Amino acid sequence: MTRSRVRLVRQTEVAECGLASLTMVANFYGFDVDLGTMRRRYSPSMRGAPLRALINLADQIGLTPRAVKLPLEELGNLHMPAVLHWDMNHYVVIEAIKGGKALIHNPDGRSNWLSLSEVSDHFTGVALELRPSNDFNRQSLRERLHLSQLWQSMTGLKRALAQVLLLSVVLQAFVLASPYYMQVAIDSALPALDGDLLTVLALGFGLFTAINVVASLLRSFVLLNAGTSVGYALATNIARRLFRLPIEWFEKRHTGDILSRFQSIVPIQNLLTQGAVAALVDGIMAIFTLAVMFYYSALLAFIAIIAFALYAVARFVTFSFQREAQEASIITSGKEQTTLIESLRGMVTLRLFGRESLRHALWQTRLTDSVNANVRLSRIGIWQNTANLLIFGLENIIAIWLAIGFVIEGAGFSVGMVFAYMAYKNQFIGKSAALIDQAIQFKMLSLHLERLSDIALTDEDRSFTVGSDAATELTGKIALKDVYYRYSPSDPMVLNGVDLSIEAGEHVAITGPSGGGKSTLLKIMLGLVEPEAGEILIDGIPLHRFGYKSFHRQIAAVLQEDSLFAGSLADNIALFDDEVDMERVVRAAVAASIHEDIARMPMQYESLIGDMGSTLSGGQKQRVLLARALYRAPKVLLMDEGTAHLDVKHEAVVNAAIGAMGITRIIIAHRQETIAAADRILVMQDGKLHSDTATPPDPAYTTVPA
């Protein structure tokens, strides 16, 4: 089979296979762009991209799309590369068909030649042909994260590297001198049977060895300290950026994939501390030893250079395969970790439904993919090592044959010179091969930087970059003016011109059918999600001018996806404040009607809650979350089904306690008791808010049977 001309682009987000497929085709035609840039320009929907959305995106890129429906046997008539609809919910790219097999590039997997019978199991019969239009612009829009961007803020790195370099030079001086010791001992001391000379040589090189050991010890400690500080600085910088990314970024990615991207710090750290110095020292040593080799014999040196060149060609020819295999190994490992994490989190559900075996089978499939990817990577390493042994093994045989021949012919080559030359030659081969290996690792660094760029180059959440951070006093008045929102440009509007005005201290309930946009509306009011159009006013001031941080400090929320953290109940209610105010903790717990439950626990407020609140019931967990919100003494409280797990008695107590606080309350609810306690009821319908007097709530979704 021929080598692929389409470069595989793997999807990062859960539902961007269509965008990744378009990126592959665009790259094929000369529009050099990475998936991150495409995502920032043409944001895909979290809910996937229908064919019409792909057609619109292709048109924006400058590709002429043509959707076709065809049977499998006519697949070869497609203009390739083309996008295929796959498994009813996925897109792949087909590049060629040869010998009854199709070259398929799967954004969620790897490039592979599949038999047409295998293609038939996945292909839905719908394809999208893509050709460059007249205004198609062949350009490069690839945004890359550069290594220099990572070390600019580090302190002490240059000094540490200079120390390592100096100590490495001392070590290499010993390496250069050692072969000469052998030559003098064999050619001078041995023929003359001069024991005194041999003793002097031994003492001199023994002292040199002691210096070498001390230098090696110091170098190891410097590398340890430098590696630790660099790794710590890299990890904290990337983690700081990670924690400041928009909420939507996390919603579109799997946990295992995020962790695998974060782990790309490790190879970067190693190359910054050890690899850079090693490459410089190996390069210098290779030049020095090569010069000494030419001094002994130009012919033998040229043979070593030829072997070095052949090894370099072998490594660089296999680099693209190695990079692809390395990327597949990282991605499949991330998927396996994601499946394992999700399975552990959902163990109760799996146990109740008896799906442990099925979930284990799914994890085993992910593990198999990861193992196979590692095997492919290891196979490439085996072939590279084989090339190393073959090339340098043959070079060694030829060098020994020629060197001993020089001695036999009396061509000015002594036995000691043979030993010395072979030692220098082995050093040259070792250093030059290591230099090539380091060069490959530096090229491989682009893979890790590309994966980290998804974190480092994504814009921070606007709450960190927009508006004043001054402590503007909040009274609690919130207004929305003509707010529109949809999940992507290809999706219908979820919020379609929402207007809302809530006075300070007012209690407003929002209800409506599930999936109608109520939770999205709440996130927009919280400043977590940016509307496509419209304005959010806080006390009559646009939210971006009021200041996101200032607003967040004075409000609190209880959302459906809220979670607790491992620690004590007091820690969770105070959300790990540096100095926990226990009086406020107790007051918040009393208001949330959880104090009595806590008082009955053996360790009371110091009781540990387990992983994500696993030791608490659903109602207890919800009341702890509510206590956490009330601990802040907010001016505005927003709740998304915040009392859904409470019984009527506890809910009445909670509502009375919060009502006595006189704060603005905005709740999303379906329970009739919760809705009835509000001052005003609004119904979300068709993307708009209606007063309950105009559109009465439907009992089907506003009441819960007793």
Side-chain angles (χ1 to χ4, degrees), residues 295-345:
Y295 173 76
Y296 279 86
S297 171
L299 177 60
L300 294 176
F302 273 121
I303 293 173
I305 291 175
I306 292 171
F308 162 71
L310 290 174
Y311 178 67
V313 169
R315 288 303 307 270
F316 282 100
V317 165
T318 58
F319 172 74
S320 60
F321 299 97
Q322 182 182 354
R323 189 187 191 280
E324 184 178 325
Q326 181 76 60
E327 184 179 14
S329 175
I330 294 172
I331 291 175
T332 53
S333 177
K335 290 181 179 179
E336 180 265 326
Q337 288 294 307
T338 294
T339 304
L340 183 60
I341 292 170
E342 288 178 345
S343 301
L344 295 176
R345 294 287 189 205

Side-chain angles (χ1 to χ4, degrees), residues 393-422:
L394 291 175
E395 184 277 335
N396 194 53
I397 292 172
I398 295 172
I400 293 175
W401 176 63
L402 288 175
I404 298 299
F406 292 160
V407 175
I408 294 173
E409 294 172 1
F413 232 69
S414 66
V415 175
M417 291 177 67
V418 172
F419 278 100
Y421 174 80
M422 295 305 295

